[in-house]
Amino acid sequence: MISAGLGLCRATGLHRLAGGALRGRGAILTFHRVRPAENRLFAPNAQLEITPEFLDRVLTRLHANGFEIVSLNEAAARLIEDDRLRAPFAALTFDDGFRDVVVHGLPVLERHEAPFTCYVAPAYADRTARLWWVELEEAVRRLDRIELDFDGARLSLPARSDAEKCAAFARLYRLWRRGGNERLLRQIARLREHAGIDWRELVDELCLDWIELLALAAHPLATIGSHTLTHPRLALLAEADALAEMAQGRDRLELELGRPCRHFAYPYGDARSAGPREFDYAGRLGFATAVTTRPGMIFPDHAAHPRALPRLSVNGLWQDAASFDALLSGAPFAFWNRGRRLDID
Ligand SMILES: [Zn+2]
């Protein structure tokens, strides 16, 4: 739907007619990884990464579109302030604490003097949580055929060509997203062992450790936000477990980094991973803001719902300035949300 809206905007220029009406008070942008392009045909997680060159272009386009890049603390303040004459704000957020954000993204952010937030799950820094979507990608890349038991049935998927690998990944991803955290981790572990992949090596290679996080937290442009302790889908957990994930993730960051942690991002962040129950927990735990991955711009109505904020995903599959300009107009989201500005249930 967003792609359709984006395509329509790009083809017709319709979003330009909307002026500033649909872009609201501003936007919170979602990023994950930043690294040079690899040009692989089988790249099923490509939507989660952009190149440093595109990050540079995004920051330039934000400026050209009249957005002011602010920290999350400043965005939280602007959420409740009623000043229509102000330029719209943009807050930049990077999920999961990937090392390439520091290696390839930070120099670009510094050049633009752009404040940003990294949402970190301490278990990645501890090397005790798994990047299951990267494990799945690596396993499918290495294996020629995927064999596993699924709900009592034997699943056998060819994975020799790039097209077969893409199809196998998509099929498995869809199957697992329907089930619980545990099954997903258990079955991917079996595939990974089969493919001879060391999960800890992957986390070690890709995620920031505590020493690097300490340095990042001290950077004048950086804010560290919380992303639970182990990155589960909170909506699937019992109340006590979900609250513990959210509280312990934050407490651990505050202890290790020695500074208060006021902002939170729900892992996965879609409506099936975080809903009104989790929004309430974030409020109970005292977070100033909490972000989802539900798509949308920030409107004055969000002032009453600072723990159910939508974000604008800067998608690796749409790395061109025209798409990004259309995204910033808010028009594709008006299309997706059928004109509804608040998506909080
Ligand atoms: Zn995440």
Side-chain angles (χ1 to χ4, degrees), residues 32 95-96 133 227 231 267-268:
H32 288 84
D95 289 13
D96 304 329
W133 59 98
H227 199 34
H231 204 271
Y268 311 105

Side-chain angles (χ1 to χ4, degrees), residues 21 32 85 119 134 196 226 246 325:
H32 288 84
L85 297 175
Y119 292 113
V134 183
S226 176
M246 295 171 76
D325 283 354

Side-chain angles (χ1 to χ4, degrees), residues 22-292:
L22 300 174
R23 74 184 182 183
R25 201 156 267 179
I28 304 174
L29 276 57
T30 314
F31 306 88
H32 288 84
R33 304 186 58 180
V34 182
R35 59 170 178 163
E38 283 197 319
N39 291 324
R40 284 173 159 167
L41 285 173
F42 173 62
N45 290 309
Q47 77 279 9
L48 298 177
E49 59 181 78
I50 60 167
T51 63
E53 294 75 25
F54 188 62
L55 179 61
D56 187 72
R57 225 170 320 145
V58 161
L59 301 183
T60 303
R61 293 315 302 161
L62 279 171
H63 189 70
N65 280 279
F67 282 75
E68 190 183 343
I69 302 175
V70 302
S71 70
L72 216 43
N73 276 337
E74 177 63 21
R78 298 228 184 153
L79 206 59
I80 44 179
E81 141 192 308
D82 190 19
D83 186 353
R84 270 149 239 233
L85 297 175
R86 245 198 215 275
F89 70 80
L92 313 175
T93 65
F94 295 82
D95 289 13
D96 304 329
F98 283 105
R99 181 175 287 125
D100 51 33
V101 170
V102 170
V103 175
H104 299 293
L106 187 55
V108 180
L109 294 159
E110 284 173 336
R111 222 163 35 239
H112 288 263
E113 292 176 45
F116 63 96
T117 296
C118 283
Y119 292 113
V120 173
Y124 288 128
D126 285 339
R127 288 23 184 163
T128 54
R130 290 166 42 198
L131 294 164
W132 61 264
W133 59 98
V134 183
E135 290 178 16
L136 179 58
E137 174 178 350
E138 287 308 316
V140 174
R141 177 167 291 126
R142 290 190 199 187
L143 296 170
D144 282 342
R145 176 165 286 277
I146 310 293
E147 308 253 15
L148 66 120
D149 292 313
F150 194 88
D151 286 349
R154 186 93 185 133
L155 201 63
S156 178
L157 307 171
R160 202 172 281 277
S161 67
D162 284 321
E164 284 173 347
K165 288 184 190 296
C166 291
F169 184 97
R171 174 96 189 270
L172 293 169
Y173 191 90
R174 268 199 311 276
L175 281 177
W176 280 320
R177 282 305 301 266
R178 264 190 256 135
N181 291 319
E182 290 306 318
R183 182 173 72 177
L184 172 131
L185 290 173
R186 204 173 50 241
Q187 294 198 328
I188 292 181
R190 221 168 292 149
L191 267 191
R192 176 198 73 216
E193 281 159 24
H194 209 70
I197 294 161
D198 182 335
W199 68 270
R200 225 180 276 266
E201 245 169 50
L202 279 182
V203 181
D204 224 10
E205 182 196 328
L206 299 181
C207 297
L208 295 164
D209 62 26
W210 286 113
I211 293 169
E212 292 166 310
L213 283 170
L214 254 175
L216 181 62
H219 193 287
L221 291 172
T223 300
I224 305 292
S226 176
H227 199 34
T228 70
L229 186 64
T230 70
H231 204 271
R233 287 175 69 190
L234 289 168
L236 304 182
L237 301 183
E239 170 167 352
D241 296 332
L243 275 167
E245 273 285 347
M246 295 171 76
Q248 288 171 19
R250 191 239 336 249
D251 295 349
R252 192 66 204 293
L253 285 177
E254 291 188 338
L255 182 75
E256 297 285 346
L257 306 178
R259 50 190 82 223
C261 179
R262 305 179 63 225
H263 305 283
F264 180 78
Y266 305 97
Y268 311 105
D270 58 289
R272 285 185 302 166
S273 302
R277 186 189 75 152
E278 288 71 33
F279 304 157
D280 174 57
Y281 294 170
R284 277 203 246 163
L285 292 169
F287 286 109
T289 70
V291 296
T292 65

